[in-house]
Amino acid sequence: MLPFKLVFHPKFNVDLGPQLFAAHKYRLVRERLLQTGVAAEADFVAPSPATEEDALRVHSAEYLRKIESGDLTSVEARTLEVPWSRSLVEAFFHAAGGAILAGRLARRERCAILIGGGFHHAYPDHGEGFCLLHDVAIAAAALRASRELVRLAIVDLDVHQGNGTGAILGQHKDSFTVSLHQEHNYPVRKSANTIDIGLEDGTNDAAYLTALEEPLRRALAFRPELLFYLAGADPYEHDTLGGLALSFSGLKERDRRVFEAARAAGVPVAVTLAGGYATNPADTVTIHANTVQVAAEVFG
């Protein structure tokens, strides 16, 4: 068995039709972990969905009304980039509940991994870039409301800048948010995080790992009570929505450095998988499964 829990719910696996965002990757990651013996059935726990009260701490009442009813304008629907459905709403509320549970479990067990989540483009009043609700911000607000948490750090290593995170938590006095991303990529409108590092197109393993050192050090020097790590698979060299050049081994080393630094600082880590759109979808599954494997090696 793993030394931490994996948070997963079948509702994450929403059918979005022919989309670059293929939500069935979550089911495939779960299956890969079981097939390879990295995880056992007992390692998985299912979250309850986030409540409306949870979501209202981050998102506006009017936006939540639109989400529930599907009453999105044509502009809002285009900006979201995935088709609205009741199952989509359920998937995102379960992902937000999963982030809450992962944060809570990580505080107890040093680490927890949500097989999903990382929807960092969602704003309080609208969704962008496949992101309907901001699961990590909802989790942070819920854990603060229950007095389980005050100081929080987010290290976002998705290939795309965490603009929703910046808008919601970038200026929060008890939050330290890092986004290490490809500069000339989505989103066009970027919101400021505590630290934003925009990398040049084609950045390779060595340059990426060097760029990670200082923001990771500063995030942990903030002395957070919890680190949310968005372990995006899309800095991969063969990602259809990315333009960086990280290899499988480079991504594993990225994960290892985050986990080892957090462990050394005594900071628990809650992981979300975030993006991943490899030309060969099996590569995305491999990268996400490797994140779990590396965490097992570090925290085992």
Side-chain angles (χ1 to χ4, degrees), residues 117-236:
F119 299 112
H120 59 167
H121 299 310
Y123 278 72
D125 62 352
H126 70 279
E128 293 186 6
F130 313 146
C131 301
L132 189 72
L133 295 173
H134 199 301
D135 55 301
V136 171
I138 290 171
L143 294 172
R144 283 172 168 149
S146 60
R147 300 187 178 183
E148 297 171 78
L149 175 72
V150 177
R151 294 171 72 82
L152 170 80
I154 297 172
V155 172
D156 184 346
L157 302 187
D158 191 277
V159 79
H160 305 107
Q161 198 253 4
N163 56 342
T165 305
I168 297 167
L169 292 170
Q171 306 307 313
H172 190 286
K173 68 181 179 64
D174 289 318
S175 299
F176 194 103
T177 67
V178 172
S179 179
L180 180 65
H181 53 268
Q182 182 186 3
E183 180 63 23
H184 303 297
N185 200 331
Y186 182 93
V188 173
R189 182 178 72 153
K190 294 176 170 63
S191 298
N193 288 282
T194 312
I195 298 177
D196 282 295
I197 296 182
L199 301 171
E200 292 300 318
D201 298 358
T203 295
N204 64 15
D205 292 346
Y208 186 98
L209 294 170
T210 297
L212 174 61
E213 290 177 5
E214 182 62 11
L216 178 59
R217 184 196 67 77
R218 288 181 58 189
L220 293 170
F222 183 69
R223 298 175 64 186
E225 295 159 282
L226 178 65
L227 170 66
F228 264 103
Y229 171 34
L230 277 64
D234 44 11
Y236 178 50

Side-chain angles (χ1 to χ4, degrees), residues 110-111 212 216 220 227 229 252-269 291 294-300:
R110 299 190 298 164
C111 181
L212 174 61
L216 178 59
L220 293 170
L227 170 66
Y229 171 34
K252 288 180 72 175
E253 181 61 22
R254 173 202 70 172
D255 294 341
R256 188 176 305 281
R257 292 191 183 191
V258 172
F259 293 137
E260 288 184 344
R263 185 191 63 180
V267 177
V269 185
T291 296
V294 172
E297 294 167 3
V298 171
F299 291 104

